[in-house]
Amino acid sequence: MTDSKTSYQLPDLPYDFSALEPVISAEIMELHYTKHHKTYVTNLNAALEKYHEAESKKDIAAMVALQSAIKFNGGGHINHSIFWTILCPKNESEGKPHHELSKAIQKDFGSFEQFIEKFNATTIAIQGSGWGWLGYNKAMKRLEIAVCSNQDPLSTLHLIPILGVDVWEHAYYLQYKNVRADYVKAIASIFNWKQIEERFTKASA
């Protein structure tokens, strides 16, 4: 039986599969959520169960060997759980941040427009699969744009995730084909700035 502390669950989506159209199609959302994210959760639980078994046997070699599976699937679960919450139907997006996050973006990037331009360019340029992030550097008290390969979580770069964009092909290929730039530019119109602002407020507290 799986230990309760390894029973991670697929989080509920805060909207219907079709809610993000036309930016993200219902077909992509359903596949992304029910197949890809679900697989990360299933494989994370399996890897952690094996890890706890190896730990109980003091099998350090097996524990070390399982680290990559835990990092990949755990990162996939963390990243997607954030991703769903920072998106919203287009008519509910406020278009840009307000309040303290707006001030921080102006301080660290010059303007919101300059931030979007830099964020998009950095995210579009990722080689292979990965994520583009806006993170908060608590030690330096500033926002930073960063990229992570594969499903590496942003915590590996010692940043707190504020918003992230998945640029694995499964996130956009059925709709945008090989034109990643169109997808990255379009997704900015469905950012849930209220949720993103809340993430920033908690990170910067």
Side-chain angles (χ1 to χ4, degrees), residues 48-163:
L48 286 172
E49 186 173 8
K50 291 177 182 176
Y51 183 89
H52 293 313
E53 183 180 347
E55 188 177 33
S56 69
K57 296 177 180 178
K58 295 183 169 51
D59 187 346
I60 296 174
M63 291 164 65
V64 171
L66 286 162
Q67 290 296 318
S68 61
I70 293 170
K71 180 182 180 181
F72 180 77
N73 292 291
H77 178 46
I78 290 168
N79 294 342
H80 286 85
S81 296
I82 294 169
F83 188 50
W84 309 134
T85 66
I86 60 98
L87 302 177
C88 67
K90 198 168 186 177
N91 63 352
E92 295 178 16
S93 176
E94 297 179 339
K96 61 172 58 180
H98 302 286
H99 313 298
E100 295 307 310
L101 178 56
S102 178
K103 294 176 186 176
I105 286 174
Q106 288 181 32
K107 177 177 72 72
D108 294 326
F109 301 104
S111 69
F112 176 69
E113 290 71 24
Q114 286 176 291
F115 157 67
I116 287 292
E117 182 179 354
K118 184 177 181 182
F119 179 83
N120 287 355
T122 302
T123 303
I124 291 164
I126 292 172
Q127 293 187 344
S129 300
W131 290 72
W133 290 100
L134 173 66
Y136 185 71
N137 185 323
K138 207 166 181 70
M140 303 297 291
K141 300 187 184 308
R142 71 183 183 201
L143 293 166
E144 296 181 12
I145 292 169
V147 299
C148 290
S149 300
N150 300 313
Q151 293 296 351
D152 291 359
L154 191 59
S155 59
T156 59
L157 300 180
H158 307 291
L159 298 173
I160 302 171
I162 305 300
L163 72 86

Side-chain angles (χ1 to χ4, degrees), residues 169-188:
E169 286 191 341
H170 65 235
Y172 64 88
Y173 197 85
L174 285 174
Q175 188 172 354
Y176 294 89
K177 306 306 180 192
N178 63 328
V179 191
R180 178 189 283 177
D182 287 354
Y183 159 72
V184 172
K185 291 172 184 175
I187 204 170

